[in-house]
Amino acid sequence: MDDSAIGEILVPAEDLQRRVRELGAEISRDYEGRDLIMIGVLKGAVLFLADLMRELTVPCEIDFMAVSSYGSETDSSGVVRILKDLDSSIEGRNVVIVEDIIDSGLTLQYLLRNLRARNPASVEVCALLTKPDRRRVDLPIRYVGFEIPNRYVIGYGLDYAQRYRNLGCVAVLNDSDH
Ligand code: IMP
Ligand code: MG
């Protein structure tokens, strides 16, 4: 894609693929013999979840939630609204929340509270990316793909104004012309 908004490549496609394979192997080991439902957070986690589930050697189900957090385009407020809820109950199930990126952590904090209230057997989090410098709440994130610096990134599911999700790599958004 030839586009001036695409800046420095932070995570090349090959590194994403290798890490997703590793995470898939780790989750497969951890959930051997246990029931597993992976919950993708729309829309950013779609590419990650699709690749991750193909690396699992254990049976798994998937479901999706869509949430919107009030705030500016690049800053979440922690006030979250559910746009699409799960199709089925997670009571007694082992849940892994699959997220594209944890920034302030406020969206995930809300999701964890909301899902734990439904009495699952367990809830863990698998995030492709985290920005530790931006974290405002301390959360247990069991599986992390990559820690990245405090830059706004696009690609591999992550958007800027709904575009660039289809980039194969994770790149910094060039904000010079935005
Ligand atoms: P948080 O509530 O601040 O942790 O924000 C989490 C959500 O904001 C993520 O699930 C993304 O949808 C979005 N987000 C945060 N940082 C970025 C970024 O660098 N690029 C694209 N989306 C981001
Ligand atoms: Mg998200």
Side-chain angles (χ1 to χ4, degrees):
M1 231 181 282
D2 179 26
D3 193 315
S4 63
I6 303 167
E8 181 196 341
I9 293 176
L10 276 194
V11 192
E14 310 79 69
D15 294 11
L16 288 170
Q17 286 153 17
R18 179 183 44 78
R19 190 71 188 115
V20 169
R21 275 199 298 274
E22 289 170 1
L23 288 171
E26 202 178 327
I27 293 172
S28 298
R29 274 197 303 277
D30 293 351
Y31 288 85
E32 184 79 60
R34 298 163 71 197
D35 121 282
L36 169 62
I37 178 157
M38 299 216 289
I39 296 178
V41 184
L42 294 172
K43 304 168 189 163
V46 162
L47 278 73
F48 178 40
L49 175 59
D51 287 344
L52 182 63
M53 70 182 295
R54 274 179 282 203
E55 299 298 335
L56 296 182
T57 56
V58 293
C60 83
E61 292 176 32
I62 57 169
D63 204 341
F64 294 94
M65 275 181 89
V67 295
S68 85
S69 110
Y70 293 102
S72 66
E73 202 145 0
T74 55
D75 265 301
S76 78
S77 62
V79 182
V80 176
R81 191 161 57 105
I82 295 182
L83 304 176
K84 185 228 171 285
D85 207 342
L86 299 175
D87 288 342
S88 46
S89 163
I90 53 167
E91 191 170 348
R93 311 288 311 270
N94 295 303
V95 171
V96 173
I97 302 173
V98 180
E99 258 283 29
D100 50 0
I101 187 165
I102 315 296
D103 188 36
S104 69
L106 294 170
T107 305
L108 181 62
Q109 181 180 50
Y110 170 85
L111 273 176
L112 279 168
R113 280 201 190 128
N114 184 288
L115 294 180
R116 280 183 181 139
R118 306 182 194 197
N119 299 316
S122 66
V123 183
E124 301 290 353
V125 179
C126 178
L128 178 68
L129 306 169
T130 82
K131 292 181 193 171
D133 293 351
R134 293 265 298 178
R135 196 63 38 78
R136 287 169 58 191
V137 281
D138 194 27
L139 298 168
I141 306 174
R142 177 74 178 266
Y143 309 99
V144 173
F146 300 91
E147 291 194 350
I148 62 166
N150 179 15
R151 319 273 297 274
Y152 193 86
V153 291
I154 51 176
Y156 199 63
L158 293 146
D159 74 304
Y160 175 71
Q162 298 303 326
R163 286 184 59 195
Y164 308 109
R165 295 191 197 275
N166 56 326
L167 281 181
C169 62
V170 171
V172 173
L173 175 73
N174 257 337
D175 47 13
S176 52
D177 48 8
H178 295 287

